[in-house]
Amino acid sequence: MRWTILGAGAIGALFASQLKRIGEQVTLFDARKSQPSPLKLTLTTLDQQAIEQEFVYETDLTLPETDVLLVTTKVWQVIPALTPLTGKLSTTCTIVLLHNGMGTTDWVLSRFSENPIIAGVTSAGALKTTKHHVQHTGFGETWLGPLNEQAKQSTPIIPTLNTAMGHADWSDQIKERQWQKLVINAVINPLTALLNEPNGTLLSHQSQVRQLCEEVAPLLAKEGIDQTAEQLFTTVMAVAERTAKNYSSMQQDIAHQRKTEIDFITGYLLQKANEHQLALPQHHELYLKIKEREQAFTH
Ligand code: KPL
C-alpha cells in the first residue's frame, strides 16, 4: 500500500519508519513546504536496531500516489494542515486520524465526505530525540474504527499496520477507546506538565488522580461510555506506571515553550460537560493553569 504521513512528530515518524521497514511505500506531507529536500530518519527499534531511511515529501495536494493518509499532527494542527487538501484530495484516499485529543472529526467528515475516514487510538511509545531520530520506546496497541460507511471497506490497512507495529486491529468500540484515551491525557498530561515531572510522578499523587477520574466519570456516562471512576483510575494509573520514565507530550510542550493540546483534551471535556450541564471544577482549574503557562510564551 502507499502511505502518506501528515505530521512527522514522534508517533508520525515511528509509523512512517515502521511501515517503510516492512516494505511499504511511505511519503511525508507538509503543505507549508513547497519542495523540501528528503528527510533522513534513523529508527531505533524496540530490539535496539538502528535503521536508516530517507523520506521524500509529497507536494501534490491530490496525493495521487496515496492509498492512506495518516494524520499524526498535533491536534490543533489537524484542521489547518488538512484545509489545503479539501476539494483536491483523491476521494479514494482513506484518512486515518491518529492524534491526541478530540473535536476534529465533524470537520473532517464534512470536508472529506466522500473519503473513507477512520479514527485511531494507539498506545505505542515513541520518542523523537532529534529531527532525524525516532525511538520506538514501548510496544502498544493500535485500534481503528470506521467513522463513515466508506471506511468499512478499508480492511487491508489492518494487517499492514499489524505487521509494521506488532499490533493493529479493528475496534467496534472506538468511541469508548477515544474517550478512555482522552481521560488518560486529561489527567496525566496537565498534571505532569505543571509538576514538570515524568509520568511516574503520579504514583505519588494518587488521590488527585482519583478525584479527577471521579469528576469526569458522570460525563462519560452521559456520552454513553461504560467506564466507572474506579476503572478510569485503574487505567490512568496503569499508563502512568507503564510510562513512568517518559515525559508526557504536554510536559514536553510546556518545557519547550510550545503550544499545548489542552484545548482539544481538557477543553473538549469542558465543552462536552457544558453541553450536559455538568461542572468539572478540578479539570477546569487544570485547564486555566495550563492556559496561563501557555499564554506566557505564546503572546
Ligand atoms: O499520550 C500520552 C502523551 O504524553 O500525550 C501519554 C499516554 C500520557 C503518555 O505519555
Side-chain angles (χ1 to χ4, degrees):
M1 291 174 83
R2 299 163 306 171
W3 301 72
T4 294
I5 313 294
L6 178 58
I11 286 293
L14 174 68
F15 275 71
S17 299
Q18 292 288 26
L19 284 163
K20 200 176 175 81
R21 189 179 59 89
I22 63 159
E24 295 293 290
Q25 184 181 314
V26 185
T27 54
L28 305 178
F29 180 76
D30 187 336
R32 293 165 304 179
K33 297 189 180 141
S34 45
Q35 290 290 337
S37 49
L39 177 73
K40 284 193 165 64
L41 194 64
T42 303
L43 163 72
T44 304
T45 61
L46 284 173
D47 55 6
Q48 302 306 315
Q49 285 180 64
I51 299 172
E52 286 180 25
Q53 296 166 329
E54 195 170 279
F55 294 90
V56 294
Y57 280 90
E58 171 66 81
T59 51
D60 185 333
L61 296 177
T62 64
L63 303 188
E65 301 292 319
T66 301
D67 300 308
V68 186
L69 175 64
L70 190 58
V71 181
T72 49
T73 56
K74 289 281 185 186
V75 59
W76 52 267
Q77 291 169 325
V78 171
I79 294 174
L82 284 175
T83 296
L85 303 179
T86 54
K88 300 204 166 65
L89 182 69
S90 160
T91 53
T92 57
C93 177
T94 298
I95 302 175
V96 179
L97 299 173
L98 193 71
H99 53 70
N100 270 348
M102 282 170 78
T104 61
T105 51
D106 288 348
W107 184 90
V108 177
L109 283 167
S110 73
R111 296 306 171 95
F112 298 94
S113 56
E114 289 177 49
N115 293 77
I117 318 278
I118 292 175
V121 173
T122 186
S123 57
L127 181 66
K128 202 159 171 220
T129 48
T130 70
K131 188 172 185 277
H132 300 284
H133 179 244
V134 65
Q135 185 166 0
H136 195 168
T137 53
F139 169 80
E141 296 181 352
T142 299
W143 293 97
L144 301 178
L147 292 178
N148 58 8
E149 272 304 312
Q150 299 89 302
K152 293 186 178 152
Q153 316 301 325
S154 306
T155 40
I157 291 177
I158 299 291
T160 311
L161 277 180
N162 188 54
T163 308
M165 297 300 300
H167 174 273
D169 210 347
W170 281 120
S171 171
D172 48 16
Q173 293 168 320
I174 197 67
K175 187 178 168 199
E176 181 163 345
R177 290 182 188 276
Q178 284 179 298
W179 272 92
Q180 198 179 55
K181 171 94 165 123
L182 190 73
V183 172
I184 293 168
N185 288 135
V187 176
I188 296 182
N189 293 18
L191 284 179
T192 54
L194 293 168
L195 293 163
N196 196 25
E197 295 280 353
N199 296 349
T201 196
L202 298 187
L203 301 176
S204 43
H205 289 83
Q206 298 202 18
S207 66
Q208 199 177 1
V209 170
R210 189 180 290 281
Q211 283 168 21
L212 286 163
C213 292
E214 280 169 1
E215 191 177 90
V216 82
L219 172 60
L220 271 71
K222 290 271 187 197
E223 286 288 322
I225 308 298
D226 188 17
Q227 286 277 315
T228 63
E230 196 52 37
Q231 285 169 322
L232 293 171
F233 173 74
T234 306
T235 306
V236 171
M237 290 316 299
V239 174
E241 205 171 337
R242 188 167 52 79
T243 61
K245 289 190 183 141
N246 298 1
Y247 285 91
S248 75
S249 53
M250 200 171 288
Q251 185 283 336
Q252 295 180 55
D253 286 339
I254 291 285
H256 294 102
Q257 305 207 336
R258 294 188 299 239
K259 183 176 164 66
T260 72
E261 299 183 297
I262 195 78
D263 285 324
F264 293 82
I265 298 176
T266 310
Y268 185 82
L269 284 185
L270 296 174
Q271 182 199 321
K272 287 288 161 189
N274 198 29
E275 286 170 21
H276 293 295
Q277 286 158 7
L278 289 171
L280 305 180
Q282 296 176 80
H283 285 278
H284 191 223
E285 197 182 322
L286 288 180
Y287 176 81
L288 293 178
K289 284 186 176 162
I290 293 290
K291 288 307 275 185
E292 196 182 309
R293 297 289 297 274
E294 197 179 73
Q295 271 152 20
F297 51 75
T298 52
H299 286 277

